[in-house]
Amino acid sequence: MRFILLILSFTLLLTAQNSDKEIKKAIVKIYSAAKEPNFKKPWISKIYRSSGSGAIIGNNLILTNAHVVANNTFLEVQRYDMAKRYIAKVVAVSHELDLALITTEDKNFFKGIKALKIGNLPYSEDKILVYGYPMGGKTLSVTSGVVSRIEHQRYVHSGSKFLAIQVDAAINPGNSGGPAINKEGKIVGVVMQGITFSQNIGYLVPTVMIKHFLKDWSDGHIDGVPQAHMFISKLENPASKRYYGLDENRTGILVTKVMPLGNSAGKLKHGDIILSANGKKIQDDGTIEFRDGEYTSAKYIVDKLQMGDSVKLKVWRNRKEIDIKIDLTKPNNIVWLVKDFIYDKDPTYFIYGGYLFSPLVENLVNSGKGKDCQIYNLLNKSATKDKQEQVVLLGVLADRSNRGNQDLYNYLPQKINGKKIVDFKQFYKEMMSQKDGFIVLEDANKREVVIDVKEAKARHKHILNTYNIQYDRSKDLRDANFSNGI
């Protein structure tokens, strides 16, 4: 009997070793050369090299992080069991969820590989193994740990909050994009970030968001994760409940603002109390029970839906309960005054007589060491029909034609020659349409910037040559039909 048990133990060990070997063969090292734009000086950029990890998931596809392949100019991949590198390319990317799919030009790369399967959302204390190619060596690294907690966290790459898995397995630069594997050999998350100077605190993109990404891409196009586009506050104060006539035993969240161009516009309004969404009760602290005894942000209800889906709400309005259906059709980037982080393309800009203009995007807000308060405060501003995008005068290239204005930077014009600025495209057309006379810009404090059109045009080429600038505008403006030269 003892002999039989020994044979059985050996067989189980051999099976586990084979399974481990199959997993390792599906882990990929990714080499990236990328171009990092300079949003303060958008005509220049720098090249940097980095590496990350990925996992083969079938159909000749490798799953990794978006930040591993962002802004790339050249990609290569290498298998665990091969020394050869293969040229790769990006197939699909969601910078919002920090996920990407890549493949190789030579499909022989995938021969003999058993693709990894994507599992279900794990539970706290579940054991996991993290595979990848972190700093400290060249070969594959495997670290072990457990799931510490599951809740909404900010994804550093996009700045958005989604469900995330916290683990205590050692995670270091280079692990990004690598899989966390459960005892069944399935992917339960993709490594995305860690906390510097912490004691083994790392975060994974969970399988529920990975599956959302794959389903989104099933039609060949990434639409993104929908939002309801509203601001809410908690309803934990008993006096607030009495004020709105809500029984103290009922729970919900208070709508404080509805974004004018968002999905909830015309459906919800200030003072509404959302009691539930798609049948899920919303707690006073803004959470929902997503599993027995486990809570996370109520935003999770909408996060799981696809663009084009609908969410059904029970709302307390005017001391009555009503049903509201919201169609999630509008993309997130149109509702904000400051647009989302830009990746995989160069910044938009143009120079006019030494004045450097650009649309305000999150890359600019987060550039540099300090935060400019007047710009930083715009992050929570909603776009409107009359004001869809904020233009910024980044700075002035000093020249005799712009004396007195050379200290200007981060100037936010609201009007051009008395006309309200709706977006960057309209502003650019207005600037380029001026043939003579003056251009007068005005900010919210009525501070004016006056540009002599004739003088600006006369000095324009000299300024570009002086500062060794090849193009006075970004490629998207040069290619556009309305890009008349200065």
Side-chain angles (χ1 to χ4, degrees):
M1 183 68 177
R2 184 176 179 181
F3 177 74
I4 294 174
L5 288 174
L6 286 173
I7 293 293
L8 180 60
S9 298
F10 178 76
T11 304
L12 290 173
L13 178 62
L14 185 62
T15 302
Q17 288 174 339
N18 288 339
S19 176
D20 179 61
K21 187 175 181 180
E22 288 176 344
I23 291 172
K24 287 180 177 177
K25 288 178 70 174
I27 310 302
V28 174
K29 186 171 185 178
I30 302 170
Y31 300 86
S32 173
K35 181 174 69 171
E36 182 179 352
N38 184 328
F39 281 80
K40 294 287 188 181
K41 298 177 181 179
W43 59 89
I44 64 175
S45 59
K46 66 178 181 180
I47 301 298
Y48 68 94
R49 295 181 181 275
S50 63
S51 66
S53 308
I56 297 172
I57 60 169
N59 296 320
N60 297 334
L61 293 172
I62 300 164
L63 178 67
T64 187
N65 283 141
H67 77 258
V68 170
V69 300
N71 302 317
N72 82 88
T73 57
F74 183 66
L75 283 179
E76 287 181 306
V77 292
Q78 184 180 35
R79 273 171 45 173
Y80 159 76
D81 58 344
M82 287 185 178
K84 180 181 177 180
R85 297 187 189 182
Y86 287 73
I87 296 175
K89 62 179 180 179
V90 176
V91 175
V93 63
S94 169
H95 291 291
E96 187 179 25
L97 292 176
D98 199 5
L99 292 171
L101 295 172
I102 63 176
T103 190
T104 57
E105 294 182 357
D106 185 350
K107 302 311 176 193
N108 288 320
F109 177 82
F110 297 96
K111 284 187 176 180
I113 296 294
K114 185 176 181 181
L116 297 179
K117 294 182 179 180
I118 297 171
N120 297 319
L121 189 68
Y123 288 86
S124 295
E125 300 183 40
D126 278 2
K127 293 181 179 180
I128 51 99
L129 294 175
V130 173
Y131 291 78
Y133 292 87
M135 60 187 296
K138 294 183 178 179
T139 56
L140 180 65
S141 166
V142 184
T143 57
S144 63
V146 298
V147 174
S148 304
R149 59 165 67 107
I150 301 174
E151 61 184 4
H152 271 60
Q153 295 285 349
R154 189 172 299 281
Y155 287 24
V156 172
H157 185 62
S158 66
S160 299
K161 282 189 175 182
F162 297 106
L163 197 70
I165 301 172
Q166 181 183 323
V167 297
D168 68 354
I171 289 174
N172 292 289
N175 269 124
S176 291
I181 306 294
N182 64 12
K183 62 182 180 181
E184 285 81 30
K186 294 182 179 180
I187 296 173
V188 295
V190 170
V191 176
M192 64 166 168
Q193 62 201 41
I195 298 181
T196 308
F197 306 121
S198 69
Q199 293 293 321
N200 291 343
I201 296 179
Y203 294 97
L204 315 176
V205 181
T207 51
V208 65
M209 302 318 297
I210 296 171
K211 291 175 181 178
H212 186 289
F213 165 64
L214 295 175
K215 184 177 179 180
D216 187 2
W217 180 67
S218 62
D219 62 355
H221 177 73
I222 297 294
D223 296 305
V225 182
Q227 293 181 15
H229 302 139
M230 60 183 172
F231 292 88
I232 60 96
S233 68
K234 299 175 182 179
L235 203 60
E236 296 175 303
N237 177 249
S240 295
K241 286 191 173 184
R242 291 195 297 270
Y243 175 78
Y244 286 101
L246 189 66
D247 186 277
E248 63 178 15
N249 294 319
R250 304 189 75 179
T251 61
I253 49 177
L254 179 67
V255 177
T256 58
K257 182 181 178 181
V258 177
M259 302 180 77
L261 302 183
N263 287 314
S264 294
K267 297 293 183 72
L268 293 173
K269 61 182 182 179
H270 171 75
D272 283 348
I273 296 172
I274 304 175
L275 306 173
S276 69
N278 283 353
K280 278 283 186 181
K281 180 182 178 181
I282 300 177
Q283 303 298 319
D284 289 332
D285 64 351
T287 64
I288 54 110
E289 188 177 30
F290 72 98
R291 278 194 310 209
D292 186 27
E294 294 184 75
Y295 292 81
T296 192
S297 170
K299 177 179 178 291
Y300 183 57
I301 298 169
V302 175
D303 288 346
K304 292 193 298 180
L305 301 175
Q306 296 286 338
M307 292 291 288
D309 289 345
S310 299
V311 60
K312 295 179 180 179
L313 308 178
K314 285 197 176 295
V315 175
W316 185 258
R317 177 185 293 174
N318 298 329
R319 299 175 181 264
K320 293 180 180 179
E321 184 180 302
I322 61 173
D323 294 320
I324 292 178
K325 177 185 173 185
I326 296 177
D327 297 323
L328 305 170
T329 58
K330 296 180 181 178
N332 299 325
N333 214 30
I334 71 167
V335 304
W336 297 101
L337 191 60
V338 178
K339 303 310 176 187
D340 292 338
F341 283 98
I342 291 175
Y343 296 102
D344 303 329
K345 64 179 182 179
D346 294 327
T348 295
Y349 77 94
F350 76 94
I351 299 169
Y352 191 100
Y355 296 88
L356 171 61
F357 298 98
S358 175
L360 188 57
V361 294
E362 286 200 58
N363 309 68
L364 272 170
V365 177
N366 285 274
S367 296
K369 295 180 180 179
K371 295 288 191 297
D372 188 314
C373 290
Q374 67 166 344
I375 285 183
Y376 195 75
N377 289 337
L378 293 178
L379 281 176
N380 286 328
K381 295 289 185 180
S382 303
T384 65
K385 184 179 180 181
D386 297 329
K387 186 68 175 178
Q388 298 175 17
E389 190 174 34
Q390 178 62 57
V391 175
V392 58
L393 169 57
L394 288 173
V396 182
L397 303 171
D399 180 71
R400 61 191 296 174
S401 63
N402 51 46
R403 287 183 301 162
N405 288 334
Q406 293 168 6
D407 292 332
L408 285 174
Y409 70 96
N410 290 351
Y411 173 85
L412 303 171
Q414 305 299 319
K415 293 182 180 179
I416 176 171
N417 289 345
K419 184 183 294 186
K420 287 184 179 180
I421 298 171
V422 177
D423 58 22
F424 185 80
K425 181 178 178 180
Q426 175 247 354
F427 173 74
Y428 176 71
K429 285 183 177 181
E430 291 287 342
M431 290 286 290
M432 293 302 158
S433 66
Q434 300 298 316
K435 303 301 181 184
D436 51 32
F438 299 92
I439 293 174
V440 181
L441 306 179
E442 182 183 312
D443 70 4
N445 296 318
K446 307 293 184 182
R447 184 175 54 157
E448 293 183 344
V449 174
V450 180
I451 302 173
D452 186 310
V453 174
K454 184 177 180 180
E455 189 175 22
K457 289 183 175 182
R459 300 290 298 175
H460 186 69
K461 288 185 178 179
H462 173 79
I463 294 171
L464 296 179
N465 290 333
T466 298
Y467 291 93
N468 196 29
I469 299 173
Q470 183 178 9
Y471 296 111
D472 66 352
R473 69 203 72 192
S474 52
K475 189 176 185 301
D476 58 331
L477 296 182
R478 298 197 304 271
D479 292 343
N481 294 328
F482 52 84
S483 61
N484 299 317
I486 180 174

